[in-house]
Amino acid sequence: MGNKISIIKRNGTKEELNIEKIHKVVEFACEGLAGVSSSYIEINANLQFYDGMTTREIQDILIRSANDLISLDNPNYQFAAARLLLYGIYKEIFGDYVTVPLQDLIAQNISNGVYDAEILEHYTQEELIKLNSYISHKRDENFTYAGLRQVVDKYLVQDRSTGSLYETPQYMYMMIAISLFAQYPPATRLHYIKKYYDAISLFKINI
């Protein structure tokens, strides 16, 4: 009983170390990627657990392991490393690998003081619901590690003093489009927002 290891979650609570959870996260990161091994990432990570270890520390070690395995022969480790980073982003913002409707995220981030409440003066709830339907969260998995790392470090809305994040890349892309076309005629702007969102989220335009 005395040998059980507790880890500290992102919200500060403790839970017993569950190796199976770690396996599942690494397997998710490797799913569908040719030339990538979840076992190899875990072995290369050489994880040494200790009581009081944080989930962020575990995640960072796994990301470094996948990143270290990137080579000309095995380039897909860059996507595995990106997915491991992405999993941590979602867990930090939402508490799980899930999303929320755009209108809920906007309300939450206005409450957090990181989005301007003026956005709600330009768009109706019906429009925000429609815009939410345009978001393809699956596109977050198209990032390489270097690309996602740059977006996280430079562009996502965050608290620079604590590193707390308030949005994922797809919400960021949609909020950029929403802000750019806020003054356009309501009859046509959703069309332009969708076209612009698709262009930047599919990397056809580099923001």
Side-chain angles (χ1 to χ4, degrees), residues 24-129:
K24 284 182 178 177
V25 170
V26 181
E27 283 170 7
F28 149 76
C30 297
E31 191 176 335
L33 297 176
V36 170
S37 163
S38 58
S39 298
Y40 203 11
I41 291 174
E42 291 183 47
I43 292 166
N44 188 59
N46 191 28
L47 274 167
Q48 295 179 19
F49 301 106
Y50 60 88
D51 198 52
M53 192 176 195
T54 66
T55 54
R56 186 187 289 272
E57 284 178 288
I58 295 169
Q59 178 207 4
D60 288 345
I61 292 168
L62 290 169
I63 291 169
R64 280 199 301 272
S65 173
N67 191 45
D68 288 345
L69 292 170
I70 299 169
S71 67
L72 289 174
D73 292 330
N74 299 293
N76 280 344
Y77 279 107
Q78 65 188 318
F79 295 106
R83 289 178 184 178
L84 287 166
L85 175 56
L86 192 64
Y87 183 83
I89 294 168
Y90 276 66
K91 287 284 283 186
E92 179 174 331
I93 299 171
F94 306 117
D96 205 346
Y97 198 74
V98 295
T99 57
V100 299
L102 175 66
Q103 59 273 24
D104 291 356
L105 184 89
I106 290 173
Q108 179 181 309
N109 282 341
I110 288 172
S111 176
N112 288 330
V114 294
Y115 280 4
D116 194 330
E118 188 181 340
I119 202 75
L120 297 180
E121 296 172 15
H122 293 289
Y123 294 93
T124 65
Q125 282 298 305
E126 290 74 20
E127 286 178 308
L128 292 175
I129 290 168

Side-chain angles (χ1 to χ4, degrees), residues 137-179:
H137 293 285
K138 191 74 176 170
R139 292 176 189 172
D140 278 341
E141 295 179 25
N142 294 337
F143 279 100
T144 62
Y145 175 68
L148 183 58
R149 184 80 261 172
Q150 185 174 49
V151 167
V152 171
D153 291 345
K154 293 184 178 179
Y155 302 114
L156 292 185
V157 171
Q158 60 192 275
D159 183 328
R160 296 285 173 185
S161 61
T162 64
S164 298
L165 298 170
Y166 296 100
E167 62 184 5
T168 67
Q170 296 310 308
Y171 291 117
M172 174 195 74
Y173 287 135
M174 181 53 76
M175 291 305 297
I176 290 170
I178 285 173
S179 300

Side-chain angles (χ1 to χ4, degrees), residues 7-18:
I7 58 169
I8 301 172
K9 299 171 68 176
R10 290 171 186 274
N11 62 8
T13 61
K14 282 187 174 185
E15 71 174 19
E16 191 177 329
L17 174 66
N18 185 338

